[in-house]
Amino acid sequence: MGAARAARAQVTAPPKAELFPDPSKFAYGLYTEGALGAVTVLGAAGSHLSPGWALGLTAGYDLTHWLALEARGVGSTHTTAFADLPADGELLQLYHLMGALRFNIRYRYLIVSGDGTAGVVHTTTNLLAIEGLNTRRTSLAYGGGLGIDYHTLSRHFAFGVHAGLQHIVGLASSNALTTTAGVRYTF
Amino acid sequence: MRAAGVAFASALLAAWMAAGCTNDPSYFPGPAALEVDGQGTEAKQTLQLYFRTPDSNEETARQNASSQLGYEVPWLREDRVHLELRYTITNLGDREASFLLNVDGASEFVRFDEDAVAAAFVAADMDAPSPRGLFQVRPPAQALAPGQVLQGAILEDDFREMELDLDAMGRWMAPNFPAVLLYRSDGTGAQTAASNAVEYTTTPPKLIRPALWEITPRFNSTQPMRCEFLVRVRDDEGRLWENGDAQLMPNPTTYMPTIVKM
């Protein structure tokens, strides 16, 4: 039996801090998103429609890491305001059905996005037409928005907030400001 | 994890669709505001609601139901077409005053016109009893001050009552029409002891009542006043007229009371 030999080791560089979770492993491609928030109508129709709570649903697909295509639906409920008229105080809904092109900038767990949208906005009753604010219940609309998302430890889930402004051509050229907070699941 | 994603997407879709499943009403504005000068002349407007005619399948179903029940089942059913009238009354005068707002109307079978009722009593050399309108809005306890605006509504339940009363009088020959108009039923088709609903003494059980398709508000006051109105229609089965549909043009019989001279 010989004498025990001394162990030798050499540290050449400190180990790199590992990102956990690794953003490169986040799910990517088809996604759906649910959102809650509010729609505020601005402009000529704005003084006749109260801000209303909104429920949104989005289905999208990441074409690249920085570009996605989306189909969005947002429904909101509003109360009419026509002082001293029988149409005052009635409920109506606005449904936004939009296509969107979304540009993403990703930094670690954060995604900052901007989007352009086009589609239609449908009013559920003819009340605004009676008061001369629209001639058709379905109108073209277009606009854009900004958002920021935070990716969770799960590779599928992200939370985010989004604000968008739509110009509704047939609603006395009014605008709809949509502000929502949502959760996204990427398959 | 993919299953969780599908479940997530399905739940979102279901929530969105559930939120969107509303029975969207349509609104019919009055042809013009009812305006009175306070000199005693009543103002009235007749508003006809636009409905479509039934298609062949719907008409067959209606006729089958009529054969089964033994009476003509209406196309515009009270349980499928729900009406509400919203009004705004403005006192344009310089003194406080109350008002009178009555509503007459017509189903596809019968029209109630209080002028015709009054004329029948005049012809019989008798005073017409009160009330005469199919429905009377109860004025507020306090008279309207100059410039004051009052908003109100004749609710769906009130219209259901009107529809029962009109059908009971017009098709089922309910006697003593002032009592029919005065007593309220419970609005569900069942007689209640409290209401002593005289309509049900002549109508068949589970009567399918016709909805009103024509509404005539009548307005008066001792001061200049204006009444604006709007009718809201909830249409459960898509019977409102739309572009391209054949429009329903009923020809109801005007109700005439049976007058018995004592």
Side-chain angles (χ1 to χ4, degrees):
Chain A
M1 299 289 284
R5 293 170 64 181
R8 294 183 180 187
Q10 186 178 9
V11 176
T12 56
K16 279 187 180 174
E18 220 176 274
L19 277 176
F20 180 80
D22 183 352
S24 67
K25 291 178 181 172
F26 288 161
Y28 168 81
L30 183 67
Y31 60 88
T32 57
E33 184 173 322
L36 274 174
V39 168
T40 307
V41 179
L42 309 169
S47 56
H48 299 296
L49 289 175
S50 70
W53 66 269
L55 187 63
L57 177 65
T58 299
Y61 186 77
D62 291 309
L63 298 171
T64 69
H65 277 283
W66 56 272
L67 182 66
L69 267 178
E70 289 185 348
R72 290 182 188 164
V74 176
S76 56
T77 291
H78 305 265
T79 305
T80 59
F82 295 99
D84 300 343
L85 288 175
D88 187 52
E90 292 289 281
L91 286 176
L92 62 79
Q93 287 79 41
L94 295 178
Y95 290 116
H96 302 238
L97 298 169
M98 317 292 284
L101 202 56
R102 174 170 165 156
F103 300 90
N104 300 315
I105 299 169
R106 293 166 188 263
Y107 177 72
R108 291 196 170 180
Y109 316 128
L110 291 179
I111 306 166
V112 178
S113 61
D115 57 64
T117 55
V120 294
V121 172
H122 178 73
T123 312
T124 54
T125 77
N126 62 334
L127 203 55
L128 299 180
I130 286 172
E131 299 303 333
L133 288 170
N134 64 3
T135 51
R136 290 181 183 178
R137 282 163 61 175
T138 303
S139 165
L140 287 176
Y142 58 87
L146 293 169
I148 186 163
D149 290 87
Y150 175 80
H151 213 293
T152 65
L153 294 179
S154 159
R155 65 186 295 261
H156 295 282
F157 282 100
F159 292 94
V161 290
H162 183 267
L165 190 69
Q166 310 301 327
H167 180 67
I168 309 171
V169 179
L171 186 58
S173 283
S174 300
N175 299 306
L177 175 66
T178 307
T179 47
T180 55
V183 56
R184 184 193 308 186
Y185 181 93
T186 308
F187 290 84
Chain B
M1 205 62 187
R2 192 155 285 240
V6 172
F8 176 76
S10 304
L12 290 180
L13 190 62
W16 204 74
M17 288 177 72
C21 283
T22 53
N23 184 359
D24 303 324
S26 293
Y27 294 85
F28 291 77
L34 299 163
E35 203 154 328
V36 293
D37 57 8
Q39 302 301 312
T41 307
E42 179 189 75
K44 70 173 183 178
Q45 293 278 345
T46 295
L47 175 64
Q48 292 183 341
L49 310 176
Y50 298 156
F51 290 96
R52 65 178 176 83
T53 55
D55 64 26
S56 56
N57 290 338
E58 290 164 334
E59 181 57 19
T60 304
R62 190 185 74 83
Q63 286 178 2
N64 288 344
S66 299
S67 305
Q68 212 167 23
L69 294 170
Y71 62 87
E72 189 166 2
V73 170
W75 163 239
L76 305 177
R77 296 170 52 148
E78 163 273 327
D79 55 344
R80 310 285 161 80
V81 175
H82 315 277
L83 308 179
E84 183 176 301
L85 186 146
R86 301 178 62 80
Y87 59 85
T88 303
I89 294 171
T90 309
N91 184 353
L92 305 171
D94 54 9
R95 282 182 292 131
E96 66 174 25
S98 188
F99 61 86
L100 187 72
L101 178 58
N102 288 356
V103 175
D104 290 349
S107 70
E108 59 200 270
F109 304 124
V110 188
R111 173 179 285 118
F112 188 91
D113 177 357
E114 62 183 78
D115 289 339
V117 170
F121 277 91
V122 168
D125 201 19
M126 290 178 70
D127 291 332
S130 186
R132 294 194 308 225
L134 196 54
F135 184 82
Q136 299 81 45
V137 171
R138 185 175 295 183
Q142 289 224 318
L144 264 64
Q148 189 180 348
V149 178
L150 175 79
Q151 286 189 299
I154 300 173
L155 302 174
E156 291 181 356
D157 274 352
D158 299 322
F159 272 95
R160 277 193 276 276
E161 179 72 16
M162 280 187 245
E163 286 152 351
L164 172 63
D165 290 348
L166 180 61
D167 211 37
M169 292 186 300
R171 285 207 298 167
W172 304 99
M173 301 304 148
N176 191 6
F177 86 95
V180 170
L181 297 179
L182 270 176
Y183 288 119
R184 287 191 63 87
S185 67
D186 70 352
T188 63
Q191 184 174 353
T192 61
S195 72
N196 188 23
V198 292
E199 303 93 326
Y200 297 115
T201 57
T202 55
T203 56
K206 296 182 181 173
L207 170 67
I208 298 175
R209 314 169 199 174
L212 298 186
W213 70 281
E214 181 185 277
I215 295 159
T216 305
R218 312 168 70 106
F219 182 63
N220 209 346
S221 174
T222 54
Q223 279 287 292
M225 282 199 193
R226 184 175 58 231
C227 173
E228 291 166 279
F229 69 98
L230 182 71
V231 174
R232 188 181 78 167
V233 183
R234 288 194 303 119
D235 172 26
D236 290 349
E237 293 184 336
R239 295 183 179 185
L240 280 171
W241 177 86
E242 288 180 16
N243 282 336
D245 292 337
Q247 192 181 337
L248 184 73
M249 297 294 288
N251 188 21
T253 307
T254 300
Y255 168 71
M256 285 293 166
T258 307
I259 301 171
V260 181
K261 283 193 175 182
M262 297 297 193

